[in-house]
């Protein structure tokens, strides 16, 4: 029987499962090289951890790794029910909270290695976590795509550690009660982007669609609805999505360096974002909070017909 030790948390409603031990050795090399080995040889371990019956469509796994850079406190590879994420903002906040829970880090600034680069994290005394995310930028503005059943949709293509299509067009208010309609729409937009061959730079697949508008609660804040790869919407305001949004706001001259952007997710939970100017785009700082929800030993029995998860 295989045994995998995990700690679960949620960040603003979105779950993260940090894998501490029991995972096969991925060898040495960069986090991107280790992620390639994970994908090629151990994908069934991903589905065992992230998919039903042990996980769910919303679960983001965070495989803890030894960093290459000794200045980093940890390395991590993020994955979900269908594959891998470059970076994951809510997951990094959950990982930081988990490392603090284990006593591996204390309040202050730390660095974490990911397959798309090193990110900074700051654990505040009150439990909030700020991420210094990878440089984020808008690759294309006002891109048009014809979406079957919805017509022409216009949005920006932006990088925030994952590729996003960000639009203000929505068939329904950004209210939790409309989550099924919003899910159908954003999945349709994602499919239309793929069918039209619209990608990020270097053919990078756009795997997140973000609707971004004023919140319907009269707060004057912005709210988003983010569809993730795998068909589940982000319960949190999405750290990489907020980073991509900051890049678009900066490119449009709508948010200045150092100004705070309050980003609600579909549950109304909040991340705060600011940025410094970068070489091509912006260097985002995203602040949010995570809570520990469980500690478990995942067991994989050899004769279990769903030992390696229910795979789509
Ligand atoms: O917070 O960056 C994020 C994220 C990506 C997918 C789910 N959450």
């Amino acid at each position: 029987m295989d045994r995998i030790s995990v700690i679960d948390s949620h960040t603003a409603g979105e779950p993260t499962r940090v894998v501490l031990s029991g995972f096969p050795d991925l060898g040495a090399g960069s986090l991107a090289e280790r992620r390639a080995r994970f994908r090629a040889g151990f994908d069934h371990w991903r589905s065992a951890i992230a998919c039903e019956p042990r996980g769910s469509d919303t679960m983001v796994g965070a495989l803890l790794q030894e960093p290459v850079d000794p200045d980093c406190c940890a390395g991590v590879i993020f994955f979900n029910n269908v594959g891998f994420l470059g970076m994951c903002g809510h997951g990094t906040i959950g990982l930081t909270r988990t490392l603090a829970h284990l006593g591996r880090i204390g309040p202050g600034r730390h660095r974490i290695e990911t397959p798309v680069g090193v990110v900074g994290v700051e654990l505040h005394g009150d439990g909030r976590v700020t991420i210094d995310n990878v440089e984020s930028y808008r690759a294309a503005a006002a891109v048009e795509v014809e979406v079957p059943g919805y017509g022409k949709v216009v949005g920006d293509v932006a990088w925030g550690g994952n590729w996003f299509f960000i639009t203000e067009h929505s068939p329904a208010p950004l209210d939790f009660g409309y989550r099924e309609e919003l899910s159908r729409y954003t999945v349709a937009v994602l499919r239309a982007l793929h069918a039209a061959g619209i990608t990020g730079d270097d053919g990078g697949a756009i795997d997140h669609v973000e609707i971004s508008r004023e919140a319907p609660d009269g707060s004057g804040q912005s709210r988003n609805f983010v569809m993730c790869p795998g068909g589940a919407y982000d319960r949190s305001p999405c750290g990489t999505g907020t980073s991509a949004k900051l890049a678009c706001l900066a490119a449009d001259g709508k948010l200045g360096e150092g100004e705070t952007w309050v980003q609600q997710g579909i549950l109304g939970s909040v991340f705060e974002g600011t940025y410094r100017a970068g070489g091509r785009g912006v260097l985002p700082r995203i602040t949010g909070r995570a809570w520990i929800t469980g500690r478990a030993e995942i067991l994989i029995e050899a004769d279990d017909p769903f030992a390696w998860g229910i795979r789509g």
Side-chain angles (χ1 to χ4, degrees), residues 14 35 39 57 60 78-89 116 156-166 183 185-195 197-201 203-211 225-234 238 240-241 244:
E14 180 81 347
R35 181 179 60 176
R39 196 195 305 268
D57 287 358
V60 170
F78 291 112
F79 57 94
N80 70 1
N81 56 326
V82 292
F84 296 85
L85 297 163
M87 226 306 271
C88 181
V116 294
D156 291 351
V157 175
W159 172 255
N162 297 298
W163 281 108
F164 285 81
F165 182 80
I166 306 179
S183 295
Y185 167 67
T186 44
V187 167
V189 172
L190 204 48
R191 288 199 181 124
L193 290 164
H194 291 170
I198 297 170
T199 66
D201 285 356
I206 297 172
D207 53 7
H208 292 73
V209 171
E210 176 172 351
I211 310 172
F225 178 89
V226 179
M227 177 52 63
C228 301
Y233 61 89
D234 197 331
C238 191
T240 51

Side-chain angles (χ1 to χ4, degrees), residues 26-42 63 65-69 74-78 84-87 112-118 159 161:
L26 294 176
S30 71
L31 270 291
E33 286 164 343
R34 281 181 258 174
R35 181 179 60 176
R37 266 178 239 134
F38 185 165
R39 196 195 305 268
F42 305 99
L63 175 62
Q65 291 281 288
E66 278 302 317
V68 177
D69 180 345
V76 64
I77 299 171
F78 291 112
F84 296 85
L85 297 163
M87 226 306 271
I112 295 177
E113 244 170 48
T114 80
V116 294
V118 172
W159 172 255

Side-chain angles (χ1 to χ4, degrees), residues 297-309:
E297 189 174 48
I298 287 179
L299 303 178
I300 303 181
E301 293 194 281
D303 66 348
D304 176 353
F306 300 112
W308 301 104

